[in-house]
Amino acid sequence: MKRQLSIGFALLMLLLLALACNLPGRQAAPTPSEPTPNRTMTALFELVQTQVVIPSPLPSATPQAAVSTNTPPPSPSPLPTSTAVQPTQPPASPTVTSTAALRSAGSYTVPFLSEAPKLDGVWDEWKTTAYPMKLVVYGKENHTGKEDLEGSFRIGWDNTYLYLAVKVIDDQYAQNASGIDLYKGDSIELLLDVDLLGDLNSRELNNDDYQLVISPGKGSTSGDKEAYLYYPTGKAGSRTDVKIASEGGSGLYRIEAAIPWSIFGITPADGQRYGFAVSVSDNDREDQNVQQSMVSMVPNRRLTDPTTWALLTLRR
């Protein structure tokens, strides 16, 4: 600071010396009303103020550049692959254990019969559940109501036979067919898929699907009884080893049958499951062999589609 003042004073003295050399010899006389101001020192001082620039003190440090308030945030670091969360694996396909998943037409449990029923067409010794058969699955245009055709059935088993008892409400008994035409008269039909899990979703018949038709009697329930196997076609034909008993007639009849397991080529055991359906065919015309209608235990029974059949489970 002292150095700066010394420089300023030196400049001031140089200016005073220059002015002194250029002053005129005489000055004009001032008017009486204004005193003559002493402009010499005032002008020099003003001149020094306009010429001398006192430098600002040097900054002690270089100022930092202004930081923008709009600086974008740093990009997020990617997750390390070693700590990435693994997706949850879907559960494995469930094993077929639920009966509802096997057949949507229903599930039926067959009790083991420690004593074989007496085959006489009478139901008095049967203690098993009676299931209805009143769903019209063929010939709806010919079905006039409950009195025309409706039924119920009971079922059981032992190591030798599958037992079936059927009661049918039918206002007109008509069965005059035989052999391959047996279904064209009043008759009972049993469908059985003996390899249920082997072709669970197959919608066509194959060698493990059976269709057996049973006649209560030709001409009347006291006439000749008969059973005919239609499928598998390689085993088709009359089955004299099926035991049949029946009684009744027009209005109502009953039938009992003992069907050998050997027909189906299987050895029964507790817990075995099969595809299954029982239905009743009706003919009201004694002068003609024709299948006019059919009622069943399953709502959408189709002979050629085993997936429309129900589930049968053997229980001891």
Side-chain angles (χ1 to χ4, degrees), residues 96 101-103 193 195-203 306-307:
V96 181
L102 292 175
R103 288 290 179 256
D193 178 1
D195 187 20
L196 179 66
L197 299 182
D199 54 2
L200 184 63
N201 298 315
S202 175
R203 294 182 175 273
T307 66

Side-chain angles (χ1 to χ4, degrees), residues 4 92-93 107-108 112 151 168-169 171 177 181-182 191 206 224 238 258 268 278-279 281 290 296 300:
Q4 291 173 353
S93 299
S107 176
Y108 298 80
F112 181 85
V168 180
I169 298 173
D171 57 3
D181 292 328
L182 200 62
L191 300 176
N206 53 44
D224 291 338
S238 295
V278 178
S279 307
S281 291
V290 60
S296 182
N300 299 305

Side-chain angles (χ1 to χ4, degrees), residues 83-207:
T83 59
V85 178
Q86 298 297 322
T88 302
Q89 295 296 324
S93 299
T95 56
V96 181
T97 56
S98 171
T99 57
L102 292 175
R103 288 290 179 256
S104 62
S107 176
Y108 298 80
T109 300
V110 188
F112 181 85
L113 302 181
S114 56
E115 183 177 350
K118 182 180 179 181
L119 300 182
D120 56 6
V122 180
W123 279 22
D124 55 357
E125 78 274 27
W126 284 82
K127 305 302 180 184
T128 62
T129 302
Y131 299 104
M133 290 186 295
K134 55 185 178 181
L135 303 168
V136 182
V137 293
Y138 174 77
K140 289 184 178 181
E141 67 279 6
N142 299 319
H143 187 263
T144 59
K146 176 180 178 179
E147 292 75 17
D148 183 32
L149 183 65
E150 189 171 297
S152 60
F153 74 95
R154 299 176 188 266
I155 194 167
W157 71 285
D158 62 21
N159 293 329
T160 306
Y161 294 100
L162 176 67
Y163 297 98
L164 185 64
V166 179
K167 179 174 69 175
V168 180
I169 298 173
D170 185 358
D171 57 3
Q172 179 63 51
Y173 184 84
Q175 173 55 284
N176 295 301
S178 61
I180 197 170
D181 292 328
L182 200 62
Y183 73 98
K184 295 179 180 180
D186 292 348
S187 55
I188 312 303
E189 178 198 66
L190 170 68
L191 300 176
L192 198 68
D193 178 1
V194 300
D195 187 20
L196 179 66
L197 299 182
D199 54 2
L200 184 63
N201 298 315
S202 175
R203 294 182 175 273
E204 58 184 23
L205 295 175
N206 53 44
N207 289 334

